[in-house]
Amino acid sequence: MTLLLLGEFEDTQVWISAIKTHQPDLKIEVYPDVDNLADIDAVLVWMHPLGVIEKFPNLKVIISTGAGVDHILRDPNLPANIPIVRLVDESLTSQMSEYILLAILQFHRQFADYKIQQNQQLWRGLSPRNTENCTVGILGLGVLGSDIAQKLNILGFSVRGWSRTPKILDNINCFSGETQLNLFLSECSVLVCLLPLTPETEGILNQKTFAALPQGAYLINVARGKHLVEEDLLTALTSGQLSGACLDVFPIEPLPENHPFWRHPQIIVTPHIAAKTIPTCVAPQIITAMQNSQEGLILNNTIDLSKGY
Ligand code: NDP
Ligand code: OXD
């Protein structure tokens, strides 16, 4: 079997050695150095060059190096009937929940205000906030959304979530579908976006959504940059409808040098690191996906193209 690494990889050698630890005899090539197009059985991809995946006549599976697959589905020339598999991984899930917890707690415990006071050498306690009165709303109750929802619930936050189909989760107030979106938003002190990027969810973090939140709500976007209408965020921060935002993802990455978010006092910017795949953690599931596709067995974590995630 031959696996091809295709697209953007920080360090292909790290991936190759992680995968080979589990299957030393696997042939791994790195695009564009391909011996024979017909030898490629599987591609491991992140932001691949468009139109390349269709060139491998014996391809059996397309594997994302991450949880999201919008970077694959942006290719209009994907071969039909080749399954797309995404990664579902404990370390990815824990990293994401840690990031969101950190962002929520710094907002909830008013760290930005204390930093301003520190700069003024001002020793003054602000009014404390009751945790159970802080409602966190999570857009997307999938693998990542349901994990952070449960962790926040343990910490005493009031937690609600929104998904496409109805859900029942212990102690989480669950809403679904467009008809329940405004009701869901109406009490969120913090709104966290953990939706996949699809035609239905693109631009969902917009003026209308912000207006449906309580005044002074805090936004955390860890899903995709295109979920957010950036100008609407700037307007909502200026008006006070939102009090701040923590953003990990952007429509153009790296965030352009002159982008207003870099220096905005109410925005925290991180470089798409909320949850980064650790090759040694995911190598076994990549090999399993390859083997199962080779043997015609059922694959885990496949994408339903009709839903787009
Ligand atoms: P899942 O597929 O497990 O969950 C997606 C959730 O979104 C589901 O609950 C789904 O509803 C819901 N959803 C999808 N479409 C809609 C819609 N139109 N309306 C309402 N709800 C909708 O994804 P994950 O939790 O694994 O990952 C979510 C996203 O996080 C990824 O797609 C990726 O973009 C992003 N991500 C970002 C990272 C980072 O470092 N910043 C790292 C990893 C992921 P239902 O349950 O009904 O299907
Ligand atoms: C992912 C990501 O989708 O890192 O895994 O964004």
Side-chain angles (χ1 to χ4, degrees):
M1 281 194 295
T2 304
L3 171 68
L4 179 70
L5 308 193
L6 175 60
E8 295 174 7
F9 287 77
E10 259 168 33
D11 188 338
T12 49
Q13 274 317 312
V14 170
W15 279 93
I16 292 169
S17 82
I19 296 167
K20 279 190 175 275
T21 302
H22 295 270
Q23 195 174 338
D25 61 342
L26 182 68
K27 185 170 176 194
I28 305 180
E29 297 187 330
V30 180
Y31 186 82
D33 296 327
V34 181
D35 287 344
N36 180 357
L37 296 178
D39 286 347
I40 304 299
D41 298 293
V43 284
L44 181 63
V45 294
W46 185 264
M47 292 298 286
H48 65 282
L50 299 182
V52 170
I53 294 183
E54 64 174 339
K55 295 191 173 142
F56 308 110
N58 295 315
L59 190 67
K60 292 168 198 74
V61 63
I62 301 168
I63 308 169
S64 169
T65 60
V69 290
D70 49 296
H71 62 101
I72 299 174
L73 301 180
R74 83 194 203 291
D75 188 338
N77 298 314
L78 284 179
N81 305 323
I82 304 293
I84 300 174
V85 168
R86 74 192 189 102
L87 299 181
V88 171
D89 172 61
E90 258 178 48
S91 97
L92 205 63
T93 305
S94 332
Q95 286 179 60
M96 181 57 88
S97 290
E98 287 162 12
Y99 180 101
I100 296 169
L101 264 180
L102 183 63
I104 292 175
L105 289 176
Q106 64 76 29
F107 160 74
H108 180 56
R109 298 306 305 264
Q110 307 168 81
F111 265 38
D113 293 330
Y114 285 117
K115 188 68 199 170
I116 293 169
Q117 291 193 178
Q118 182 184 341
N119 290 340
Q120 299 163 350
Q121 288 189 244
L122 186 58
W123 181 275
R124 185 176 68 195
L126 302 167
S127 301
R129 295 171 170 171
N130 192 356
T131 303
E132 69 181 18
N133 294 340
C134 180
T135 299
V136 179
I138 301 168
L139 293 164
L141 280 176
V143 173
L144 302 177
S146 55
D147 188 72
I148 183 61
Q150 278 149 6
K151 287 175 177 163
L152 287 165
N153 175 52
I154 290 167
L155 284 178
F157 287 91
S158 163
V159 187
R160 51 176 58 195
W162 184 71
S163 51
R164 198 175 53 84
T165 55
K167 301 253 176 296
I168 299 173
L169 294 173
D170 279 355
N171 301 318
I172 312 297
N173 203 352
C174 295
F175 299 78
S176 61
E178 246 179 271
T179 51
Q180 293 190 345
L181 181 58
N182 278 358
L183 186 60
F184 159 81
L185 294 168
S186 62
E187 291 191 17
C188 299
S189 313
V190 179
L191 182 67
V192 180
C193 182
L194 268 173
L195 292 164
L197 183 67
T198 67
E200 288 73 38
T201 64
E202 183 166 344
I204 192 167
L205 303 175
N206 58 33
Q207 186 276 331
K208 227 172 115 205
T209 297
F210 300 150
L213 293 166
Q215 191 169 28
Y218 191 82
L219 174 71
I220 299 171
N221 186 19
V222 277
R224 287 293 181 257
K226 286 186 180 170
H227 285 124
L228 175 65
V229 180
E230 296 190 334
E231 289 194 6
D232 289 2
L233 171 61
L234 292 171
T235 306
L237 290 171
T238 304
S239 72
Q241 180 56 24
L242 292 183
S243 59
C246 176
L247 309 174
D248 184 53
V249 284
F250 305 89
I252 300 171
E253 295 178 358
L255 187 63
E257 205 182 327
N258 294 324
H259 198 288
F261 287 177
W262 277 119
R263 282 169 206 85
H264 197 294
Q266 290 154 283
I267 296 179
I268 297 174
V269 168
T270 53
H272 199 144
I273 47 72
K276 286 189 78 170
T277 304
I278 300 173
T280 48
C281 296
V282 298
Q285 63 180 287
I286 291 169
I287 289 165
T288 303
M290 281 192 74
Q291 285 168 345
N292 287 359
S293 68
Q294 192 80 15
E295 291 163 25
L297 299 174
I298 290 177
L299 297 171
N300 295 325
N301 307 318
T302 48
I303 300 316
D304 177 345
L305 287 179
S306 67
K307 291 193 298 181
Y309 64 98

